[in-house]
Amino acid sequence: MASGLYAGVVGHVRQRPRRHALRYRIFMLLIDLDEAPALSRRLRLFGYDRAAPFSLHTRDHGDGSDRPLKAQVEAHLAAAGIDYGGAVRLLCMPRVFGAVFNPLSLYFCHRTDGTLSAILYEVNNTFGQRHSYLIPAPALEDGRLRQAVDKGFYVSPFMDMDLTYAFSIRPPGAEVSAAIEVSDAEGRLLSAAFGGRRGELDDRALWRAWLTHPWMTLGVMGAIHWEALKIWLKDERLRPRPPAPAAPVTLAPMARPQPA
């Protein structure tokens, strides 16, 4: 199966106005949405739209409904005029004993010939809102693809809205990585990255992942709020939250060239 488990490290470094960094271990699942029902039947510890120690629930993603995720993604691709018809593979953290929070989930969207046509970046904030950026996939450079989009969705109370995201993605294989640089008119403001190595997605691997990351989901939420408190204590001003975008998905143009 194309689905797999990626264990690795996520890190954030804020450059201005005061340097602030964090780093912690997580694991993510790559779920081929066509394989999800079979995985749910085959594995005892993984459930697709059912209760299980580790699970993927449709309503945790997309528009929050029970409409199949692949159909939702393909509707966005069709509306944007982007080729589709192949696999759609979702890289995200699973629910762990019912708890989940995914700051960023990535959908790798493929054409019928198996080539990558686009990435859908799905962003959740801690205010219960969700928005996505759909970006056509350029040709790989040194095994990576580089994409960029202007920020259109409020995420952090410590970040302005007039920002640009630059992504550097190594699509899932033996390894996967996703690096994001956030910039304003003065230059780079924040960098964030996840890198992980692939393992088989089976009950033994899920059990081992839980033993080595027992508080992962609660830890992610706790880390976000703990780091927010430390930034606030550094006298960083709070930015007001604007209304959410009217459309659920922002379509970005073909990737602009970005420095390596």
Side-chain angles (χ1 to χ4, degrees):
M1 286 189 169
S3 302
L5 185 153
Y6 288 85
V9 175
V10 64
H12 295 245
V13 179
R14 180 168 180 145
Q15 305 290 346
R16 295 182 277 114
R18 294 174 178 81
R19 183 177 172 84
H20 184 80
L22 64 90
R23 180 180 172 91
Y24 50 91
R25 294 186 302 118
I26 65 169
F27 69 90
M28 304 184 81
L29 301 185
L30 179 73
I31 302 294
D32 186 309
L33 295 178
D34 289 330
E35 297 176 354
L39 284 168
S40 185
R41 292 190 297 268
R42 180 168 62 86
L43 301 180
R44 296 174 60 191
L45 297 183
F46 174 79
Y48 179 56
D49 283 334
R50 68 172 178 86
F54 306 90
S55 59
L56 174 67
H57 286 249
T58 299
R59 65 180 181 272
D60 292 333
H61 299 275
D63 63 10
S65 72
D66 292 329
R67 184 185 180 196
L69 283 176
K70 186 174 183 180
Q72 293 188 44
V73 173
E74 289 188 334
H76 296 312
L77 294 167
I82 299 173
D83 289 344
Y84 66 95
V88 175
R89 294 172 183 147
L90 171 59
L91 181 69
C92 67
M93 288 183 287
R95 283 195 186 198
V96 180
F97 293 99
V100 68
F101 179 70
N102 273 290
L104 178 65
S105 302
L106 279 68
Y107 297 80
F108 295 89
C109 309
H110 297 79
R111 303 178 182 89
T112 54
D113 65 3
T115 58
L116 190 66
S117 63
I119 297 180
L120 182 74
Y121 298 86
E122 183 180 79
V123 182
N124 288 282
N125 64 24
T126 56
F127 304 97
Q129 298 173 315
R130 181 179 302 138
H131 187 72
S132 297
Y133 301 92
L134 179 59
I135 311 180
L140 293 179
E141 302 175 16
D142 300 324
R144 295 178 177 271
L145 58 87
R146 292 178 171 83
Q147 301 170 301
V149 67
D150 293 332
K151 179 180 177 180
F153 176 61
Y154 183 88
V155 178
S156 167
F158 303 106
M159 302 288 284
D160 293 317
M161 291 295 296
D162 189 16
L163 300 172
T164 298
Y165 298 135
F167 302 99
S168 176
I169 307 296
R170 183 181 298 278
E175 298 179 346
V176 68
S177 65
I180 308 166
E181 287 193 0
V182 184
S183 302
D184 60 14
E186 299 179 18
R188 186 172 61 186
L189 181 65
L190 179 144
S191 300
F194 168 74
R197 294 187 61 83
R198 180 184 171 94
E200 290 302 313
L201 179 51
D202 55 28
D203 286 323
R204 179 178 297 180
L206 286 168
W207 177 248
R208 187 185 308 115
W210 182 76
L211 289 176
T212 53
H213 308 80
W215 305 108
M216 185 182 74
T217 299
L218 294 177
V220 170
M221 282 295 290
I224 288 171
H225 288 93
W226 175 243
E227 297 301 327
L229 174 62
K230 291 195 287 186
I231 293 173
W232 180 72
L233 291 174
K234 293 179 179 180
D235 294 326
E236 179 63 22
R237 67 180 179 88
L238 299 176
R239 278 70 165 179
R241 176 159 54 102
V249 176
T250 293
L251 174 63
M254 181 61 76
R256 299 189 293 271
Q258 297 294 321

